[in-house]
Amino acid sequence: MIVISACLVGEQVRYDGNHKLDLFYKNLIDNKIAISVCPEILGGLQVPREPAEIIGGDGYDVWNEQAKVVTVSGQDVTHQFKEGAKRALSIIKDLDAQTVILKSDSPSCGSTVIYDGTFTGNKKEGVGVTTALFKLNNVDVYDEKSFHATFDNLEV
């Protein structure tokens, strides 16, 4: 089973109420090869919601309590991000999922790059809160770009 970020399959779960539909990933859902999750929704955040970024590091630093996730107005939503990550990990373990495809750049799901915590659109190297937890639990994580590059010939 493959687990995919819900926004990539057209679910309107992003902070702004939109999605990032990729028909390739939607097809995996439609063919029951994959399921979707949104850690931020699993953590209790609503749609729409204020944008949030990691302040003081990346997802690993959040788990080490050296960084936090904060909204643009300064609300600390670290607890919701961590709770959503834990619930998503539980789903992955229950399904014995071998492949996880998460949305790039996200403070939850980013796997190589995240926004830098200044709310200016700038990015930095690092991983999101969910990705960090998955990697700490030996779960292979791809973003939507790297999965396409790695598995371009996958037949669905």
Side-chain angles (χ1 to χ4, degrees):
M1 181 64 65
I2 298 172
V3 175
I4 303 172
S5 286
C7 62
L8 291 174
V9 301
E11 294 179 38
Q12 295 178 301
V13 294
R14 289 173 46 85
Y15 74 94
D16 58 4
N18 289 319
H19 58 77
K20 291 289 185 178
L21 176 62
D22 182 311
L23 292 175
F24 175 81
Y25 296 122
K26 176 77 167 92
N27 194 33
L28 294 177
I29 297 287
D30 293 344
N31 285 292
K32 301 193 182 343
I33 296 169
I35 66 152
S36 65
V37 299
C38 177
E40 293 175 26
I41 298 300
L42 289 171
L45 295 172
Q46 302 298 310
V47 176
R49 59 189 172 274
E50 287 188 307
E53 295 186 8
I54 298 173
I55 308 293
D58 72 355
Y60 292 115
D61 298 311
V62 169
W63 289 106
N64 291 325
E65 299 186 12
Q66 297 171 336
K68 58 187 175 177
V69 187
V70 178
T71 68
V72 68
S73 70
Q75 179 184 4
D76 186 339
V77 289
T78 305
H79 173 76
Q80 292 91 332
F81 273 71
K82 289 172 86 173
E83 185 63 28
K86 289 186 240 179
R87 289 181 179 179
L89 180 62
S90 178
I91 291 167
I92 287 169
K93 286 183 174 184
D94 287 348
L95 293 172
D96 194 28
Q98 301 302 311
T99 303
V100 178
I101 305 158
L102 300 178
K103 178 69 186 97
S104 60
D105 307 335
S106 158
S108 288
C109 299
S111 59
T112 57
V113 173
I114 56 173
Y115 289 97
D116 71 0
T118 63
F119 296 95
T120 58
N122 294 324
K123 298 175 187 174
K124 65 180 181 180
E125 286 187 24
V127 300
V129 175
T130 299
T131 298
L133 183 62
F134 287 2
K135 289 184 176 235
L136 289 168
N137 283 273
N138 300 311
V139 175
D140 290 331
V141 177
Y142 299 90
D143 67 19
E144 72 276 19
K145 300 166 198 162
S146 65
F147 186 82
H148 274 307
T150 305
F151 297 96
D152 206 28
N153 297 322
L154 182 67
E155 292 292 323
V156 179

